[in-house]
Amino acid sequence: HIPGAILIEPRDLIEGTPPAVGALPSETKINSLLNAIGYTPDLDVAIYDEEGGGWAGRLGWTLYIIGKDDWTYIDGGIYSWHEKGLPLEGGISLPKSNFHNSVDINLEPIADTQDVLSAIANKTDIIWDVRSKEEYDGYKSGSNRAGHIPGAINIDWLELKDEKRGMRLRKDLRQFLSDRGITGDLPIITHCQTHHRSGLSYLVGRMLGFKIRAYPGSWAEWGNRLDTPVETADD
């Protein structure tokens, strides 16, 4: 890992209770995590992962929720770091403080099922689905029902990063998204299956100055309910 980096595992960032396993953890769990890593609001925070931004973006979303909006993303994560020949170390890095405090939760970056239903009915928000095309079309699903939220725009999260450049974000992101209907003119609600892959689309949206929320219930919740509308490629 990058020297001195403190480990936050994916399981620390999710509630983990089916069907909406990607829901925001309880305030108690969030505060326990922050205390365990020695977080204080005045710290400079740089985030990264080993996959090109999904879990890093999920952490960034969580930081926004606790009011920390001045963090930095290490583009490409461990891949681009290693590609540049920068130092790595093994072992466990321990926090530099044992800070004990609690933070307030800001719900503004979060969309729930009712928010999505309202967006469909009133066309107030663009819904950005970052799952694969097979999932979106309804040929593959991790839930009881397959397909997509009506009207959602599908841009796979893998298309946001460049594997030939150490998993860095693609250079033409704004134009690439605009060509596919994500312009920032309307607010955005983004999701995937569990709000892991959509961590990256949330990060990208904030980076580009879009008004964006994430739906942490995602398809795990939507596709396992019986009262939510679903479309497929065959409709």
Side-chain angles (χ1 to χ4, degrees):
H1 58 265
I2 294 173
I6 304 297
L7 176 64
I8 298 176
E9 296 192 64
R11 65 187 179 190
D12 297 328
L13 300 174
I14 62 174
E15 179 58 37
T17 303
V21 295
L24 184 73
S26 68
E27 190 169 339
T28 298
K29 183 175 178 179
I30 291 173
N31 280 306
S32 294
L33 169 63
L34 297 175
N35 289 328
I37 64 173
Y39 171 82
T40 60
D42 59 322
L43 284 174
D44 292 328
V45 178
I47 60 176
Y48 76 96
D49 59 27
E50 61 175 5
E51 58 171 21
W55 284 117
R58 170 79 193 217
L59 175 56
W61 176 75
T62 305
L63 290 172
Y64 277 126
I65 287 171
I66 66 170
K68 179 71 173 177
D69 55 7
D70 57 346
W71 45 266
T72 299
Y73 171 56
I74 300 175
D75 194 10
I78 199 71
Y79 293 104
S80 61
W81 185 273
H82 182 262
E83 193 177 78
K84 292 181 178 180
L86 296 170
L88 294 167
E89 67 179 17
I92 299 173
S93 296
L94 298 175
K96 295 182 179 180
S97 68
N98 293 313
F99 178 76
H100 293 281
N101 206 339
S102 61
V103 295
D104 295 324
I105 302 299
N106 169 27
L107 300 181
E108 186 177 345
I110 304 172
D112 60 20
T113 305
Q114 289 303 314
D115 292 324
V116 178
L117 288 170
S118 177
I120 296 170
N122 301 312
K123 295 180 170 47
T124 52
D125 299 69
I126 288 175
I127 301 168
W128 179 5
D129 183 337
V130 300
R131 297 175 302 154
S132 67
K133 187 175 187 303
E134 290 75 17
E135 291 170 283
Y136 179 86
D137 286 345
Y139 302 129
K140 176 182 177 182
S141 179
S143 300
N144 288 330
R145 296 191 295 162
H148 60 266
I149 296 171
I153 294 175
N154 180 221
I155 305 174
D156 192 323
W157 79 305
L158 294 175
E159 295 185 84
L160 303 178
K161 48 193 177 180
D162 188 347
E163 293 186 7
K164 296 179 180 179
R165 298 176 52 249
M167 292 292 185
R168 295 174 183 84
L169 296 173
R170 58 187 302 153
K171 293 181 177 180
D172 62 342
L173 267 177
R174 189 179 295 276
Q175 187 63 51
F176 172 78
L177 294 176
S178 179
D179 290 344
R180 287 154 182 80
I182 306 288
T183 62
D185 292 337
L186 287 175
I188 299 163
I189 297 174
T190 189
H191 79 91
C192 57
Q193 177 71 23
T194 61
H195 187 32
H196 157 214
R197 290 172 282 181
S198 55
L200 181 60
S201 51
Y202 180 80
L203 183 154
V204 164
R206 289 299 297 252
M207 184 187 74
L208 295 176
F210 298 163
K211 184 176 182 181
I212 186 168
R213 292 179 289 171
Y215 172 36
S218 283
W219 194 257
E221 179 178 52
W222 193 275
N224 280 311
R225 293 180 59 149
L226 300 178
D227 60 345
T228 48
V230 170
E231 291 181 344
T232 70
D234 298 326
D235 291 336

